[in-house]
Amino acid sequence: MMKNLLLAIATILLVTNTAHTQIRPKIGVVLSGGGAKGLAHIGILKAIDSAGLKVDYITGTSMGSIIGALYAAGYRADTIEKITKNIDWDLLLSNSASLRSLIMEEKDEYGRYAVELPWANGGFKLPNGVIESQELWLKFMELFFRVYKIKDFSHLPRAFKCIAADVATGEGVSLDSGEITLAIRSSMAIPSVFTAVNYNGRKLIDGAVVRNFPVSDVKEMGANIIVGSNVAGSLLPAEKITNVFQVLQQVAFFRNDADEKKQATLCDIYIHQPLEGYTMGSFAAAADIIKEGRRTGDSLYPRLKKLADSLNAAYGPSILPPNLLPPIDSVKITDYQITGLTRMTQAFFLHRMQFLNNQWYSAEALSDHIRKAFGTRYFNKITYSLEPLADSTSRIVFSVEENPHTFAKVGINYNSFTGISLIGNLTARNFLTPYSRSMVTVNVGENMHIRAEHLQFLGRYKAVSLTSSVQAETLNFTTYNNFNKDGLYKQNYFVADMHAQWALKRRYSMGLGTRFESFGYKPQIASFFELQGHTSLLNSYLFINLNTLSNAVYPKRGMKIQAEGGYVFSQRPALTYLQAGHVITNLDSLGFNFQNFVRTKVNIEGYLPFGDKYTGLAQVQGGINFNQRVSILNDYFVGGLTNVFRNQITFSGLSEGTVHSSSIASLMLGLRYQMYNSLYVTAKANALYYNFIGSDNNPSQAQFLSGYSLTLGYNFILGPLEISAMYCDQAKQLRPYINLGIPF
């Protein structure tokens, strides 16, 4: 009796244990491509995490490969959401570099021209119109730094594959090994938008061309239960096809649409999020797309929770570790290799990066070192991979693509003050001497300008530079009397300058120099008081600059400081003064003299974002000529919204040169609102004091100005187009102001 009872108990225990030791079904997740719309996948992953459903395999294409790879690498869905919300999509999905990554010598020139044509193979090449994006590569390498040792994607915390297409054969390629950053960059290489990627001897492009929704791939990996999230839209109905571009788009998606329908039938849980109203490029609406995905995920949660609970009941609870990310914050690099250098030496590359072997590096530190080299503009792309070594250290392999040394650049500018002009630039690196930049810039228009410059880098780290330049220009100036136009004269200006500069950390620079300046004045329309002739002077000066702006046009954050103090001497006037058309013979009556004096000028700009759409602006400008007793010649000129000439103090409300003085201080506060991706509205208010220092260096009775402007701006390929209305309380006139592009 006892023996039979024990046997029955053993049988029950054996049956129960067998049920719990059966192979648990494997869960696979599939994420489609779809550009910005792919951000909605995050909501599905959040629902999966909340339900406690253990994912074993994941596949994705294009944006689905990026989100899927992050999830496969061990990031939780809520962390992925934070990452995507904090990304600067405008920067990552463009060929623009962050202004902060550029060395100080390059910041003023970067982004000034609409077209840049490289000289290669004996001629200038047209731009290829596709995006490489150095910052995108760096972001990927930072995000996947913790899994750098894993070259087989099946060994990631969640097994992973992504889909690309071979541009030579048109075949789909499943990427499951190698460098994960290279794999996902291949999968998202949209033809004619992003550059193709060389991967294991094949040139790969976006996998959406052949398989946008790779369900069959996750099934082949071993998934028994498949959850698929598809954000691709369906084919357009006939009544919505109204132009040739829609016809071509429709034809291009014939194959994909049929394949997606077939792939969808393989899903156990299929989620279609067409997200009508959004496009592949709607990254400006990233937060809204993620919110839509969360709504869909919330509605799906009960079904996912029921699935997780039923699996746990049948096979026992799945154990989900609290953090799947490997705990790797830094690696010790004891060996390095550089591929791709042809014109530059390894020593120059390593010195510009300030890279040292046998050091510990985090992902962020490596990115910062790469930006130091990339910021010289000698390189088009710098990526790296890490190879684990037997002693637990790593070898870093830098893959470098050099920029051509010569570029021709073209821009256009229209300004209410200077008129229309075409600006051309020729820049050559290492043309005259090694480690140098030589350039010539010509402005052809109503006002002519030409400038030639040679910059020579010095020292081991090339942080010291010596710059020589000459510039000549003609400029038509309107004169004003009590805010009303009074006359017109032409100014011919020539300057030769040489200065030495020491730059530190791509943010600061300081130096000293001497410039020779020559002015010629010729009245065009007579005014009550006028001068004609020419004069020249020497100015030895010290300067300090700071630039932490996020970008050159419409910066969202950062500060810019330009400060200079100098000593003006050796003035050589040959001028004739006229009053009411008559020559003034008694010059002593004017109180002018040309003695030496101290000259100072400062410009401080600051930008601070408020949320996603608003940016606060502040600017302080000032200039004082101590003991300067020559009216007009060395004064600071007030007016205009764009800097276009020497000694200008911009001011909302007045035209250029409306007021001039030897002592000026102004403050501007403003707010910029981003209506759409490239459309802005900017409101400014400013106040200005002038004539607060007399020619004897003593305080005098200051005069006050206040003004305002409202600007509608659109940033496109030719540069910013800005249409403004200005008003000054003292002039009591509403003035229009237009600027297109970046002036000479």
Side-chain angles (χ1 to χ4, degrees):
M1 186 74 175
M2 180 61 69
K3 182 178 180 180
N4 291 335
L5 180 61
L6 291 174
L7 181 61
I9 294 172
T11 301
I12 293 171
L13 291 174
L14 179 62
V15 171
T16 304
N17 186 62
T18 300
H20 284 287
T21 56
Q22 289 178 353
I23 298 176
R24 184 185 183 92
K26 300 295 185 180
I27 306 297
V29 171
V30 185
L31 307 178
S32 76
K37 296 195 293 184
L39 296 172
H41 294 316
I42 297 171
I44 308 304
L45 297 180
K46 290 190 74 171
I48 289 173
D49 284 349
S50 298
L53 192 64
K54 181 179 180 293
V55 174
D56 302 285
Y57 307 112
I58 187 162
T59 60
T61 298
S62 199
M63 179 58 80
S65 74
I66 299 173
I67 303 299
L70 290 170
Y71 196 64
Y75 288 96
R76 288 183 56 84
D78 55 358
T79 304
I80 298 173
E81 181 178 6
K82 291 176 183 176
I83 290 170
T84 55
K85 283 184 174 180
N86 291 327
I87 282 177
D88 185 345
W89 293 105
D90 289 341
L91 179 62
L92 260 59
L93 302 178
S94 73
N95 272 331
S96 298
S98 168
L99 199 64
R100 294 179 177 182
S101 70
L102 301 180
I103 59 176
M104 286 294 290
E105 293 86 351
E106 292 292 336
K107 290 181 188 286
D108 287 342
E109 281 296 306
Y110 187 71
R112 296 182 65 88
Y113 302 95
V115 178
E116 297 191 6
L117 305 176
W119 177 272
N121 301 320
F124 287 108
K125 293 174 55 180
L126 290 174
N128 56 24
V130 292
I131 297 170
E132 185 65 71
S133 185
Q134 174 68 37
E135 287 297 324
L136 182 65
W137 283 104
L138 292 180
K139 178 56 71 175
F140 282 168
M141 288 184 281
E142 290 175 11
L143 292 173
F144 294 100
F145 183 79
R146 294 191 178 193
V147 294
Y148 79 92
K149 293 181 180 179
I150 301 175
K151 309 301 180 182
D152 182 344
F153 302 163
S154 66
H155 295 160
L156 289 167
R158 300 178 177 99
F160 174 72
K161 279 186 181 181
C162 63
I163 310 303
D166 189 321
V167 73
T169 65
E171 297 175 341
V173 183
S174 294
L175 304 177
D176 57 7
S177 62
E179 296 297 328
I180 192 167
T181 55
L182 203 61
I184 60 176
R185 177 61 177 78
S186 302
S187 181
M188 61 160 285
I190 302 170
S192 78
V193 177
F194 289 97
T195 54
V197 177
N198 294 317
Y199 192 97
N200 293 338
R202 308 177 86 168
K203 189 176 283 291
L204 302 182
I205 58 173
D206 193 334
V209 174
V210 292
R211 194 155 66 253
N212 192 52
F213 191 42
V215 183
S216 56
D217 295 86
V218 83
K219 196 172 185 67
E220 290 172 4
M221 293 173 74
N224 306 112
I225 300 172
I226 299 174
V227 179
S229 175
N230 185 6
V231 298
S234 303
L235 292 174
L236 293 172
E239 62 271 14
K240 290 192 176 182
I241 302 174
T242 59
N243 58 57
V244 66
F245 298 106
Q246 290 173 328
V247 171
L248 293 174
Q249 183 181 20
Q250 191 87 337
V251 172
F253 283 109
F254 278 164
R255 180 180 174 184
N256 261 343
D257 190 68
D259 183 68
E260 285 174 12
K261 289 176 180 176
K262 179 181 176 181
Q263 298 285 327
T265 62
L266 303 176
C267 295
D268 297 281
I269 299 176
Y270 176 66
I271 310 108
H272 189 211
Q273 304 182 77
L275 296 167
E276 295 179 2
Y278 300 101
T279 68
M280 294 177 61
S282 298
F283 286 96
D288 295 330
I289 294 173
I290 292 171
K291 190 181 296 183
E292 290 290 333
R294 285 206 310 267
R295 289 196 188 100
T296 304
D298 291 343
S299 66
L300 187 68
Y301 171 79
R303 190 175 176 187
L304 296 171
K305 180 63 174 171
K306 184 178 180 180
L307 174 61
D309 290 344
S310 63
L311 291 173
N312 291 341
Y315 303 96
S318 60
I319 301 174
L320 297 174
N323 190 356
L324 293 172
L325 277 174
I328 300 173
D329 294 319
S330 60
V331 298
K332 187 175 183 180
I333 297 175
T334 56
D335 191 17
Y336 65 88
Q337 180 182 342
I338 306 171
T339 64
L341 289 177
T342 57
R343 292 182 292 270
M344 306 306 298
T345 65
Q346 286 197 11
F348 175 80
F349 177 74
L350 293 172
H351 288 161
R352 292 306 294 181
M353 276 208 315
Q354 299 181 19
F355 174 82
L356 298 174
N357 203 21
N358 288 307
Q359 300 288 326
W360 287 88
Y361 289 96
S362 65
E364 292 75 16
L366 285 172
S367 292
D368 188 60
H369 283 281
I370 286 174
R371 288 188 182 100
K372 289 176 181 177
F374 182 76
T376 65
R377 302 202 72 191
Y378 277 96
F379 307 101
N380 181 54
K381 182 178 72 173
I382 305 171
T383 62
Y384 69 86
S385 60
L386 293 168
E387 299 176 353
L389 300 177
D391 60 358
S392 298
T393 65
S394 294
R395 175 190 297 115
I396 190 167
V397 179
F398 294 106
S399 298
V400 180
E401 182 180 307
E402 296 176 324
N403 267 327
H405 279 186
T406 303
F407 278 83
K409 309 173 188 180
V410 179
I412 191 170
N413 177 243
Y414 173 79
N415 184 273
S416 296
F417 176 67
T418 57
I420 186 72
S421 59
L422 181 69
I423 305 173
N425 172 277
L426 184 66
T427 297
R429 301 178 192 278
N430 299 355
F431 178 66
L432 297 176
T433 56
Y435 313 118
S436 68
R437 184 194 70 191
S438 304
M439 64 181 184
V440 176
T441 308
V442 179
N443 182 105
V444 180
E446 297 177 33
N447 294 280
M448 302 292 292
H449 307 260
I450 185 169
R451 176 181 173 84
E453 177 183 282
H454 179 76
L455 182 151
Q456 181 68 54
F457 291 105
L458 304 170
R460 181 181 181 186
Y461 294 111
K462 306 298 182 286
V464 176
S465 62
L466 184 65
T467 302
S468 302
S469 65
V470 292
Q471 177 176 327
E473 65 180 42
T474 62
L475 199 60
N476 290 314
F477 262 97
T478 299
T479 60
Y480 290 84
N481 184 9
N482 195 27
F483 306 112
N484 295 312
K485 292 182 178 180
D486 183 39
L488 179 70
Y489 70 92
K490 176 180 287 187
Q491 174 184 281
N492 297 314
Y493 177 59
F494 173 82
V495 57
D497 179 276
M498 178 175 287
H499 66 266
Q501 174 175 285
W502 177 54
L504 180 67
K505 292 184 177 180
R506 293 167 288 154
R507 296 182 176 186
Y508 313 95
S509 67
M510 60 184 68
L512 52 86
T514 295
R515 64 172 68 99
F516 167 79
E517 298 178 79
S518 177
F519 309 85
Y521 304 92
K522 185 177 181 181
Q524 304 294 299
I525 298 176
S527 58
F528 178 75
F529 177 83
E530 57 192 35
L531 55 86
Q532 59 186 16
H534 59 86
T535 184
S536 63
L537 57 84
L538 288 170
N539 180 9
S540 293
Y541 58 92
L542 302 171
F543 66 89
I544 183 168
N545 295 324
L546 165 72
N547 192 325
T548 63
L549 299 183
S550 56
N551 43 292
V553 179
Y554 296 124
K556 293 182 178 180
R557 63 175 68 245
M559 178 175 286
K560 182 177 182 180
I561 298 176
Q562 299 165 299
E564 180 184 305
Y567 186 67
V568 176
F569 58 99
S570 294
Q571 297 189 74
R572 299 179 181 275
L575 298 166
T576 300
Y577 301 91
L578 300 95
Q579 187 170 346
H582 301 288
V583 175
I584 300 174
T585 56
N586 182 14
L587 297 182
D588 292 338
S589 65
L590 297 175
F592 292 173
N593 66 52
F594 291 87
Q595 65 188 32
N596 303 338
F597 65 93
V598 174
R599 177 182 180 274
T600 62
K601 187 178 180 182
V602 65
N603 175 60
I604 303 173
E605 303 172 32
Y607 302 86
L608 182 66
F610 296 99
D612 296 331
K613 298 291 186 179
Y614 292 93
T615 302
L617 323 173
Q619 183 180 29
V620 174
Q621 299 176 88
I624 301 176
N625 293 336
F626 293 96
N627 203 33
Q628 191 258 127
R629 297 183 180 179
V630 182
S631 177
I632 300 177
L633 299 183
N634 293 300
D635 277 356
Y636 300 96
F637 291 82
V638 175
L641 297 177
T642 308
N643 272 303
V644 290
F645 60 90
R646 170 186 179 268
N647 282 7
Q648 182 184 1
I649 302 292
T650 57
F651 186 81
S652 298
L654 295 177
S655 299
E656 288 84 351
T658 302
V659 170
H660 60 88
S661 172
S662 62
S663 57
I664 290 178
S666 73
L667 170 66
M668 182 277 292
L669 297 176
L671 184 66
R672 184 172 65 227
Y673 172 64
Q674 185 174 1
M675 298 175 64
Y676 299 103
N677 191 35
S678 298
L679 189 64
Y680 301 85
V681 174
T682 306
K684 295 180 180 179
N686 47 204
L688 180 144
Y689 283 94
Y690 64 102
N691 285 343
F692 53 84
I693 298 289
S695 60
D696 56 0
N697 293 339
N698 291 320
S700 64
Q701 186 65 41
Q703 299 183 61
F704 175 77
L705 295 173
S706 56
Y708 320 90
S709 65
L710 186 65
T711 301
L712 179 66
Y714 181 70
N715 192 23
F716 69 122
I717 189 170
L718 294 178
L721 170 62
E722 297 184 321
I723 302 173
S724 306
M726 307 188 300
Y727 182 79
C728 175
D729 292 319
Q730 288 69 34
K732 301 187 184 304
Q733 293 179 351
L734 185 66
R735 302 174 187 270
Y737 193 91
I738 299 175
N739 184 80
L740 168 64
I742 299 175
F744 180 87

